[in-house]
Every structure is written in structure tokens, then in C-alpha cells.
Amino acid sequence: MITFLKDLIKQAGNICKKEQKLLRPSDVDFKNKKDLVTITDKKVEDFIIKQIRAKYPSHDIFGEETGRTHFSSDYLWIIDPIDGTTSFFHQQPFYSISIAVQYLGHTICGAVYAPNLNELFYATRDSGAFLNDHSICVSEADKLINCVMATGFACLRADLTINNLFYFNKIVPKLRDIRRYGSAAIDLCYVACSRLDGFWEMNLNIYDVAAGAFIVEQAGGMICDFKGNDNFPEQGIIATNKYLQKKLLENF
């Protein structure tokens, strides 16, 4: 299954690379005044679903743009065709395709592909996590002041009154630095390969984080919500290593 997934997500990435430079303003719709979707989001998701249907016709699928099927299958494919659509539309490289596969509600494999960066992150249960076939692991940082972390602001796109600005202002002064890539899937994978020491965000959906969170766990990292429980992403999501989890949680 992971071989099929890796090949599929690379094909989807090739579509993104070709389509990105051809995008026009008329190719964009708005879910709200700040949250956009392009014709490529829909085209890529349709392509991914078609390939899964051909290979695994009985499996359920949950795509960001098309919703969830209800075949009562033990398997569920969770798809974000373009995570970081704003970056994609603005001709920036930090976007990704994210696909996770669950069996009986538990993720068994996942992949995140950043086409313009030529980076494929993937993992299978109990086999570790990889970047372009090289094993990866989370950082060993144990003090916030030594850390570079990332966050995002999906909450602001949704105009939420309770938003991430409070946590941002509280946490950033305690860190070495902060980054903002615009794709939660990439942020999570950067935690998995120790480019980042941690990541947090609120108001995300399962398709934003399913593959990336699994890759972090398989790379030896820790995933939880803002209370240290497993209700992510509904109650926020935090990704880091075992040394920093408690220290980061203290800010929530």
C-alpha cells in the first residue's frame, strides 16, 4: 500500500507543478473572504480519488473538497489535495499534498509531498518515518530558548474571536525563533525531521494533519491537543518531542 501511495502522491504533485504557473485570478473561488480554493485543488482531489477507486474500490475516502463516502469499509483514505492553497496560488513553494490511510480508525500509513521542494515524507506503522527514503527523527532539544517552532493562523482565516494570537504572543518570546510556512502538513513533517522543534495550531481539520501527525509519531515525536489529550485537531494540535511537550503545554 505504501508503494502505491508514494507513486500516487508524486503523480498528484506533478499535476500541481504544471498547474501552478498557469493559474489565473478567475481560477479561484472563496470559501470565505480569506480562505480560497483553486480549480487545481479540485482537479488533484478528483485524480487521487479516481486512482484509489481503481486500486481499492471498496475503501472509503474523505477528501477536503468532496467530503466523505460511506461504504462502511474498514479502510479510510484522508486527502488534502493542496495544503497551503494560498501559497500555491501566490506562486510560493510551501504547499503540499497530504494523504493518510486509516484502518479501523487508526492510521497505518501516510505521506506528505511538497512538489516544488521535491520532498516526499512518508511513514508506515512501526517502520519509522522517511524523507526521500532516508530515515528521519525528531529533534532532541529540551529547552524552549533553543528551539525554532512554527505555527499558523487558520483561526484568523475563519475570523474566530478566540484565536492563536494570544498563544503566539505568549510563546514566541520564549523561543529562539518562529517560522510560518503556511502548510500544517509541511510544518508537521519539519518537526518529524527536526528542522523544527515544535508546531502548534488551532482550527485545523483532520485532512490537514492526519498524515503529518502520523509521520511525527513514527519519527519518535509526540502529538496532543492543547490540554495534552488526544482530541486533535478539534481542540488544537501540538507536535514536538518528548522533552518539550510538557514545557510547550504549560503555555496553553
Side-chain angles (χ1 to χ4, degrees), residues 104-124:
L104 296 176
H106 299 283
T107 305
I108 58 172
C109 63
V112 172
Y113 183 46
N116 285 20
L117 305 174
N118 193 31
E119 293 189 331
L120 173 60
F121 298 86
Y122 65 93
T124 58

Side-chain angles (χ1 to χ4, degrees), residues 29-44:
D29 289 324
F30 290 85
K31 299 178 181 180
N32 63 42
K33 61 184 178 181
K34 296 179 182 177
D35 195 5
L36 52 83
V37 59
T38 71
I39 58 171
T40 309
D41 290 75
K42 299 172 182 177
K43 183 174 183 178
V44 171

Side-chain angles (χ1 to χ4, degrees), residues 27 40 70 83-85 92 123 128 140 155 157 170 173 205 228 231-232:
D27 295 329
T40 309
H70 296 279
D83 186 57
T85 301
Q92 297 172 10
E140 296 186 356
C155 53
R157 289 199 304 273
K170 189 176 182 182
N205 295 287
N231 299 318
F232 59 85

